[in-house]
Amino acid sequence: MEFSGTGSYIADKDLMVAVNAAIKLERPLLVKGEPGTGKTELARQVAEGLGLDIIEWNVKSTTKAQQGLYEYDAVSRLRDSQLGDPRVSDVANYIRKGKLWQAFAAGRKVVLLIDEIDKADIEFPNDLLQELDRMEFHVYETGEVVRAQVRPIVIITSNNEKELPDAFLRRCFFHFIRFPEAETLARIVEVHYPGIRHDLLRNALTLFYEIRAVPGLKKKPSTSEALDWIRLLVADEVSPDDLKVDPKTILPKLHGALLKNEQDLHLFERLAFMARRN
């Protein structure tokens, strides 16, 4: 079982090596990188490329590790007991399976995506150490042990918003997705928009990387934002010559797809003001 990319996902050699190493080692693959560099999409494309189902666990700031295993709905059981419902005699009726349980019980190899793990509390990764290492956990309410018969491919993404515990990192295979170079990004664009004019693509990417290189930019535009912007350029039939920046205006056409906060917008406005003064 080896991942070699898909027709709709451009993966460089280092990324494919990381995915396949994690599969062979049977360890979770921890993927970091700028937002919008395709970390979440990687898990979906690994599933597609290997012909596997994917189970996605989207982590939020309020997510607890226990929710990935199971949840016991004691409130519903109490209510049903008051109503005389015969289901209350079996506590298993009130156990809700989490994403890890679903992956462990699938009976076949699946891809388990734990998306944006750094959004949760700092203890969240520690609370999953044993479960991800041993691929089993105990259900205290029923006394059963849930064990993965077939070990899933676990892909964990992080936007690096907070540091992850060393004990957790030790159990993972790590890969950092670097922002693609212009040649690679051009290939990505051509996959999404086949037949795009080469002069438009060349001028758009030149301007895009110039914007990313501006000092003091709070949020650099990402790969996904580049795709959105180029999609708008194609839809509006923007001429490649119109993408040549006028220092007195400096703001690129349809800049709302690239600049996502007022601080960066004001930065470009100040640059334009300084250019006019000079």
Side-chain angles (χ1 to χ4, degrees), residues 23-235:
I23 293 173
K24 290 175 183 177
L25 290 172
E26 295 189 328
R27 290 190 177 274
L29 173 63
L30 174 61
V31 185
K32 291 187 178 182
E34 290 182 30
T37 49
K39 301 184 295 296
T40 302
E41 188 61 25
L42 170 66
R44 296 168 182 159
Q45 294 299 323
V46 168
E48 180 180 327
L50 299 179
L52 305 176
D53 293 332
I54 184 169
I55 296 173
E56 299 188 25
W57 185 13
N58 300 301
V59 178
K60 301 178 181 178
S61 60
T62 57
T63 303
K64 301 300 181 185
Q66 180 64 34
Q67 294 172 304
L69 307 179
Y70 68 93
E71 292 182 275
Y72 170 50
D73 191 355
V75 174
S76 294
R77 192 181 188 197
L78 175 60
R79 183 190 63 240
D80 289 348
S81 67
Q82 294 171 340
L83 297 174
D85 194 319
R87 295 194 309 156
V88 299
S89 59
D90 186 357
V91 68
N93 291 323
Y94 301 92
I95 300 292
R96 297 178 181 175
K97 297 178 181 179
K99 299 296 184 179
L100 266 70
W101 190 331
Q102 294 174 29
F104 290 1
R108 61 190 183 283
K109 188 171 283 294
V110 298
V111 174
L112 172 63
L113 168 63
I114 304 177
D115 198 24
E116 298 188 330
I117 194 172
D118 52 328
K119 278 187 176 181
D121 184 86
I122 189 62
E123 293 302 321
F124 181 91
N126 280 333
D127 292 342
L128 291 176
L129 285 179
Q130 297 302 321
E131 288 77 10
L132 290 176
D133 198 25
R134 298 179 180 177
M135 287 290 159
E136 66 178 36
F137 62 90
H138 185 260
V139 183
Y140 296 98
E141 288 78 7
T142 63
E144 67 180 306
V145 175
V146 177
R147 183 178 294 110
Q149 299 300 318
V150 182
R151 198 176 184 99
I153 298 172
V154 182
I155 297 179
I156 304 170
T157 71
S158 169
N159 287 326
N160 222 11
E161 293 182 4
K162 60 171 68 83
E163 289 295 324
L164 298 174
D166 289 344
F168 180 80
L169 295 175
R170 183 171 60 83
R171 288 167 167 82
C172 298
F173 191 93
F174 173 75
H175 182 76
F176 183 84
I177 298 182
R178 292 179 175 84
F179 195 84
E181 297 178 352
E183 181 181 348
T184 303
L185 185 53
R187 291 169 57 203
I188 293 172
V189 173
E190 288 174 344
V191 165
H192 287 80
Y193 310 116
I196 186 173
R197 291 178 55 180
H198 290 292
D199 52 351
L200 175 64
L201 177 58
R202 181 181 62 252
N203 289 4
L205 292 184
T206 298
L207 179 55
F208 175 77
Y209 280 96
E210 287 176 355
I211 292 172
R212 279 185 56 89
V214 171
L217 206 61
K218 182 178 180 180
K219 183 195 177 305
K220 295 182 179 181
S222 67
T223 305
S224 61
E225 288 159 341
L227 292 173
D228 289 343
W229 181 55
I230 292 173
R231 178 184 179 185
L232 291 173
L233 297 179
V234 172

Side-chain angles (χ1 to χ4, degrees), residues 210-211 214-215 217 246-251 264-278:
E210 287 176 355
I211 292 172
V214 171
L217 206 61
D246 182 352
K248 294 182 180 179
T249 58
I250 211 90
L251 281 171
D264 290 341
L265 189 60
H266 292 160
L267 173 62
F268 275 81
E269 290 173 345
R270 287 196 300 273
L271 292 174
F273 176 74
M274 293 170 62
R276 287 194 294 268
R277 288 188 62 183
N278 293 333

